[in-house]
Amino acid sequence: MFITLEGIEGSGKTTQLQKIVAFLEGRGYECVTSREPGGTAIGAQIRAVLLNPANKEMDAGTELLLYVADRVQHIRTFIEPHLAAGRVVLCDRFFDATLVYQGYARGLDRTLIAELHRLVCGNLKPDVTLLFDLEPRVGLSRAWQAINSGGRSRQETRFEQEKLAFHQKVRDGYLDLARLEPHRFRVIDASGDIQEITRTVEKTLGALLPAKR
Ligand code: TMP
């Protein structure tokens, strides 16, 4: 089973990821976690380039190709082998993020992005995608709190530095994708407190992954 977590900056998806692992392991599932960009050793180098706020002049096309490069390496060397071994793979962001950030928000052609993905990465799709939805103003303020308190690296803030309007497009894009694929997406209200969100996530995943023990 392949589960992805998506959402705007500061939506709390990374915090929920570890809680999901504990929940699913308690139900008898073997889990592995990862993230994009940066889920492999090569991907970590690509991530550093993509998120470095000094790289302001990066063209949207360069950005797109770097995300695709990160992803194909991740799929071939991490995701597919773990899925083949029968594990639950939980990934913090995947292809939907490219459609939303590079498509809806940067304005690149979404059909072309999807075609590029199919050509390079193939047909792998998440079984379930949890979309942590909240107001960009709230998400951004949470993200900057984490950065200013040292909880997140300043070296990875290229997207946090984008204007609110950019993040609004990201949010709207995600909600649009969720409307287009209601069977895959589960939209989680991420505006509440952490425990409340965890309860909602566990209810959602509990219905899909019955306890094995
Ligand atoms: P994160 O690891 O903190 O979520 O940061 C990853 C950043 O990269 C985030 O701002 C979203 C952005 N991103 C894209 O623009 N396109 C993509 O395909 C992915 C996976 C992430």
Side-chain angles (χ1 to χ4, degrees):
M1 160 97 50
F2 181 30
I3 302 173
T4 57
L5 286 74
E6 299 281 358
I8 60 162
E9 267 53 51
S11 60
K13 60 187 168 44
T14 313
T15 305
Q16 293 299 327
L17 187 69
Q18 292 316 319
K19 296 182 186 292
I20 295 173
V21 172
F23 175 71
L24 291 181
E25 285 181 346
R27 300 197 136 214
Y29 292 90
E30 197 185 340
C31 301
V32 290
T33 65
S34 195
R35 67 174 177 180
E36 289 190 0
T40 63
I42 291 170
Q45 298 169 66
I46 299 174
R47 179 180 175 96
V49 174
L50 277 166
L51 304 188
N52 187 342
N55 290 334
K56 279 191 181 58
E57 77 279 19
M58 190 182 296
D59 182 80
T62 308
E63 189 177 278
L64 169 66
L65 292 173
L66 286 174
Y67 278 111
V68 176
D70 170 75
R71 183 159 304 123
V72 66
Q73 185 70 20
H74 193 211
I75 291 174
R76 299 286 177 261
T77 67
F78 185 91
I79 301 176
E80 284 178 342
H82 282 298
L83 288 176
R87 299 184 186 106
V88 175
V89 177
L90 292 147
C91 192
D92 191 337
R93 298 195 189 279
F94 190 64
F95 172 61
D96 296 309
T98 308
L99 272 182
V100 165
Y101 281 81
Q102 282 64 55
Y104 287 87
R106 293 270 190 245
L108 296 181
D109 186 314
R110 296 199 295 279
T111 309
L112 216 133
I113 295 175
E115 186 61 10
L116 178 66
H117 173 76
R118 200 188 57 74
L119 271 173
V120 179
C121 298
N123 293 320
L124 178 67
K125 263 210 167 192
D127 297 290
V128 190
T129 297
L130 302 176
L131 171 57
F132 293 85
D133 177 60
L134 91 162
E135 283 277 331
R137 204 181 289 278
V138 179
L140 272 182
S141 123
R142 282 188 194 168
W144 277 107
Q145 262 171 25
I147 293 158
N148 291 330
S149 65
R152 280 205 54 183
S153 167
R154 255 177 216 286
Q155 288 308 308
E156 295 196 342
T157 52
R158 195 165 65 89
F159 284 89
E160 283 78 357
Q161 302 201 9
E162 290 286 345
K163 295 196 173 69
L164 192 60
F166 177 89
H167 295 281
Q168 190 63 54
K169 284 185 199 163
V170 170
R171 184 199 194 186
D172 294 345
Y174 272 131
L175 289 173
D176 202 34
L177 291 186
R179 272 191 294 273
L180 291 171
E181 282 190 72
H183 295 297
R184 175 163 67 90
F185 275 89
R186 300 289 183 283
V187 182
I188 311 277
D189 177 358
S191 64
D193 65 41
I194 293 178
Q195 286 86 346
E196 197 184 324
I197 299 166
T198 303
R199 274 197 299 277
T200 311
V201 169
E202 290 183 352
K203 219 168 129 190
T204 305
L205 290 180
L208 295 167
L209 293 145
K212 285 189 186 175
R213 60 174 179 232

